[in-house]
Amino acid sequence: RTGIIWFDAHGEATTPETTTSGFLDGMPISILLGRAWQSLARSVPGFAAISGERIVLFRASQLEQSECELLDQEGVKRFSSVPELEASLAVLRKDVQQLYVHLDLDVLTSTEAVWNHWSGPKGISLLTLLEALAEIGKTGNVCGLGVASYDPAADTSSKAMLAGVRAVRVAE
């Protein structure tokens, strides 16, 4: 009975059959949905596929057509604003006992922070991220938070690291 809030610039829902890059990092949502790498997923103790209705993808701006199709088929909600997220959380709270938050720092705009060599200008502001995380925190049932895609070598100003630290503090 876990819900997932996934902050990412990418859809993360390719499969081995649909990927054009073969990049395993582009498949975690499809794995969680039970649509990719089923044998590998079953090797994880306690793994069970999750219903798409319990996943919210926030601010994915770089989606492949096949990802859009899979996300739509599975009922994964996609939002880009804090008010949309707030409304979705009210519905999600009725179906889940706890929330896992995945924060891929590539959701931030590169004009505020460069987190790795995939950084781009289409992301959200740090303020929007912090507002969204504060809204999630109001639920009081966040069971875990993962932060991904940070490369210190790309973060020459330390702005991305500081943004990540601020995000984690808000999500506590």
Side-chain angles (χ1 to χ4, degrees), residues 24-69:
L24 183 62
D25 283 3
M27 301 182 197
I29 290 180
S30 59
I31 293 168
L32 288 168
L33 292 166
R35 297 286 298 265
W37 300 103
Q38 291 93 354
S39 295
L40 180 61
R42 281 191 301 272
S43 73
V44 176
F47 176 82
I50 188 167
S51 166
E53 287 83 22
R54 293 191 297 172
I55 300 175
V56 173
L57 179 58
F58 192 86
R59 193 52 175 113
S61 59
Q62 300 174 42
L63 292 158
E64 295 178 18
Q65 182 60 37
S66 62
E67 289 178 302
C68 292
E69 292 168 6

Side-chain angles (χ1 to χ4, degrees), residues 5-171:
I5 311 297
W6 197 279
F7 290 88
D8 206 305
H10 305 94
E12 306 296 25
T14 60
T15 69
E17 294 76 31
T18 64
T19 182
T20 56
S21 67
F23 193 47
L24 183 62
D25 283 3
M27 301 182 197
I29 290 180
S30 59
I31 293 168
L32 288 168
L33 292 166
R35 297 286 298 265
W37 300 103
Q38 291 93 354
S39 295
L40 180 61
R42 281 191 301 272
S43 73
V44 176
F47 176 82
I50 188 167
S51 166
E53 287 83 22
R54 293 191 297 172
I55 300 175
V56 173
L57 179 58
F58 192 86
R59 193 52 175 113
S61 59
Q62 300 174 42
L63 292 158
E64 295 178 18
Q65 182 60 37
S66 62
E67 289 178 302
C68 292
E69 292 168 6
L70 186 142
L71 293 168
D72 290 344
Q73 288 170 2
E74 293 290 336
V76 174
K77 297 159 209 68
R78 294 180 297 213
F79 300 115
S80 296
S81 73
V82 175
E84 290 174 313
L85 176 65
E86 183 179 3
S88 177
L89 286 170
V91 173
L92 191 59
R93 282 185 197 120
K94 296 174 186 175
D95 295 329
V96 302
Q97 294 174 340
Q98 58 189 7
L99 294 171
Y100 171 77
V101 179
H102 172 85
L103 172 56
D104 191 318
L105 290 173
D106 70 7
V107 76
L108 293 172
T109 177
S110 61
T111 59
E112 288 196 32
V114 176
W115 51 91
N116 62 34
H117 68 276
W118 291 295
S119 58
K122 294 183 180 182
I124 61 173
S125 69
L126 177 58
L127 179 60
T128 298
L129 174 63
L130 297 176
E131 288 174 353
L133 290 169
E135 194 60 44
I136 294 166
K138 290 178 185 177
T139 67
N141 61 346
V142 175
C143 66
L145 168 72
V147 180
S149 298
Y150 177 68
D151 179 0
D155 185 17
T156 58
S157 68
S158 297
K159 288 181 181 179
M161 178 193 60
L162 295 172
V165 169
R166 286 184 69 190
V168 168
R169 287 185 176 152
V170 167

